[in-house]
Amino acid sequence: MLLLPVLGLLLVAPPALGSYSVGQAGSALAGAQQSDYPPLPPGDPAPVTVLDYASRALFEKGVSIGDRRVRLTGFIAPGPDGQPILARMVLSCCAADGRPVKLGLTGDVPYGLADDTWVEVTGRYTDRVGRDPVDDAEIPYLAVESWRRVPAPRNPYE
């Protein structure tokens, strides 16, 4: 009898953290990080993570991105002004310590999608920055040139 709850927790995976968690936690980029970034990966657009783009945009003002196009995958969450934002949860250890990385979107913004819809966006660096209402951290923006819906990745965390 005592093993049943333990087995239940081990065999049933909790759902992935999503837009609800984004609205409840401050941005994971509240502290300073290293600003000596390597060049972007080859290709046009360059595939980068939401965390990598956000870090480069905030901590070095997009210098290592330049005018390159980038491609990111994340899920839609409601932004502070009601506009959709792109988000991805970052884990240090486990889902209990998950923190969102949030990107504001300008240009061809994917309006009308339900929260937690996964999208792949292609765009360029913009120096626009917003504020996170949860912890007043800076939220970088991406100038979206195109987007498309994609299935949720096998590993939804960065």
Side-chain angles (χ1 to χ4, degrees), residues 108-111 113 119-122 144-149:
D108 185 15
V109 178
Y111 291 110
L113 297 178
V119 293
E120 179 182 88
V121 296
T122 299
V144 179
E145 295 178 349
S146 64
W147 63 272
R148 67 182 181 99
R149 289 177 75 152

Side-chain angles (χ1 to χ4, degrees), residues 35-121:
S35 64
D36 187 19
Y37 293 97
L40 290 176
D44 180 39
V48 297
T49 66
V50 173
L51 177 61
D52 188 29
Y53 174 84
S55 297
R56 290 171 189 258
L58 284 180
F59 302 126
E60 64 161 17
K61 307 298 184 217
V63 170
S64 66
I65 299 169
D67 196 34
R68 299 257 328 259
R69 292 184 332 137
V70 294
R71 183 179 64 237
L72 306 92
T73 301
F75 60 87
I76 297 297
D81 56 1
Q83 300 294 319
I85 63 171
L86 188 71
R88 196 79 186 245
M89 299 301 288
V90 177
L91 304 182
S92 297
C93 172
C94 58
D97 69 359
R99 300 265 323 256
V101 176
K102 306 172 185 181
L103 292 182
L105 303 172
T106 64
D108 185 15
V109 178
Y111 291 110
L113 297 178
D115 292 349
D116 299 311
T117 300
W118 284 86
V119 293
E120 179 182 88
V121 296

